[in-house]
């Protein structure tokens, strides 16, 4: 396989991953929990993503799951040259999720939780 084809594919993978894992939009009027997650994964020549795992946690399970979900949305990635083989990759993903306070969850006139005995 010509080195140019392989290098072009690797650059295409990096660009697609960067687009899929771009920083979450945040609004100044809300509070957010943020973090950075390092993911390791395998990319197959057809562009399929597999074996995604967290190798550097944000410290928050919900943010780690959000990072994995963002990477899954990139699947499939660009297909590689015909002679390409599966490659291991690492991506650093910035994530943010809005913190919902009770005031955000309340719906006037609606009961949000109940119990039965």
């Amino acid at each position: 396989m010509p080195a140019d084809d392989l290098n072009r594919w690797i650059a295409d993978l990096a660009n697609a991953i960067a687009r899929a894992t771009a920083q979450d939009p945040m609004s100044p009027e809300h509070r957010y929990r943020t973090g950075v997650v390092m993911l390791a994964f395998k990319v197959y020549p057809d562009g399929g993503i597999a074996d995604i795992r967290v190798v550097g946690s944000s410290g928050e399970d919900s943010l780690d799951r959000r990072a994995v979900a963002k990477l899954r949305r990139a699947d499939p990635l660009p297909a590689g040259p015909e002679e390409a083989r599966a490659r291991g990759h690492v991506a650093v993903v910035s994530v943010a999720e809005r913190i919902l306070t009770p005031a955000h969850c309340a719906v006037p006139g609606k009961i949000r939780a109940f119990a039965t005995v």
Side-chain angles (χ1 to χ4, degrees), residues 17 37-43 49-57 64 67-68 71-72 87-93:
I17 291 165
V37 181
M38 185 178 297
L39 302 175
F41 55 99
K42 192 175 284 186
V43 177
I49 300 174
D51 303 328
I52 300 172
R53 63 193 185 286
V54 174
V55 294
S57 175
D64 293 351
V68 169
L71 182 58
R72 285 192 198 286
R87 306 181 59 82
H89 288 273
V90 173
V92 176
V93 182

Side-chain angles (χ1 to χ4, degrees), residues 7-75:
N7 290 337
R8 191 173 308 114
W9 180 49
I10 292 170
D12 289 346
L13 291 176
N15 289 333
I17 291 165
R19 280 191 306 275
T21 60
Q23 176 66 44
D24 292 314
M26 293 191 288
S27 171
E29 61 266 2
H30 301 290
R31 292 184 37 212
Y32 293 85
R33 177 181 302 119
T34 61
V36 175
V37 181
M38 185 178 297
L39 302 175
F41 55 99
K42 192 175 284 186
V43 177
Y44 290 97
D46 66 357
I49 300 174
D51 303 328
I52 300 172
R53 63 193 185 286
V54 174
V55 294
S57 175
S58 67
E60 292 281 342
D61 289 341
S62 62
L63 292 177
D64 293 351
R65 286 190 305 271
R66 187 177 184 88
V68 169
K70 286 175 77 169
L71 182 58
R72 285 192 198 286
R73 286 195 299 265
D75 192 7

